[in-house]
Amino acid sequence: MAISHVTDQTFSTEMKEGLVLVDFWAPWCGPCKMIAPVLEEIDGEMGDKVRIIKLNVDENAGTAGKFGVMSIPTLILFKDGVAVDKVIGFNPKEALTEIISKHM
């Protein structure tokens, strides 16, 4: 699957079912740019098990605030609409795939 972008308006619809990893990011954020290719790799390898979506915090402050996002990148893993894990800052691919795998 391809990584998609969501907004405050579409966020809750995207979270309803399955495993969803949300990347809270902004275009000016250096570590966000570093993690983007890692997320592309994970999507290529695990895309049938987890959906990855991105939410620009500059344009969608409501959702970021609701989940207490204070630093970016923040990755929150949702399972059937419930936040089950959270990672702040850049993390290597292996660490992220391990977090995803433990919630499958």
Side-chain angles (χ1 to χ4, degrees):
M1 290 183 89
I3 295 176
S4 58
H5 293 259
V6 295
T7 64
D8 283 345
Q9 292 74 31
T10 62
F11 184 82
S12 60
T13 305
E14 296 291 329
M15 298 298 111
K16 289 190 183 206
E17 60 184 53
L19 208 52
V20 182
L21 182 66
V22 182
D23 175 18
F24 291 85
W25 72 288
W28 49 264
C29 166
C32 299
K33 292 176 185 175
M34 290 171 48
I35 207 164
V38 173
L39 294 175
E40 292 285 345
E41 279 185 45
I42 292 171
D43 184 60
E45 294 171 12
M46 302 180 80
D48 57 333
K49 298 175 181 82
V50 63
R51 285 186 311 123
I52 299 174
I53 61 175
K54 297 174 76 76
L55 183 123
N56 183 328
V57 298
D58 288 343
E59 297 171 355
N60 302 282
T63 302
K66 178 181 176 183
F67 291 99
V69 175
M70 302 295 281
S71 300
I72 54 174
T74 292
L75 302 172
I76 301 179
L77 185 64
F78 292 84
K79 186 168 189 173
D80 298 326
V82 178
V84 293
D85 224 322
K86 184 177 190 176
V87 177
I88 299 170
F90 178 84
N91 276 264
K93 178 181 159 188
E94 295 76 23
L96 296 175
T97 55
E98 184 177 316
I99 289 166
I100 294 166
S101 295
K102 78 177 183 183
H103 293 286
M104 293 170 123

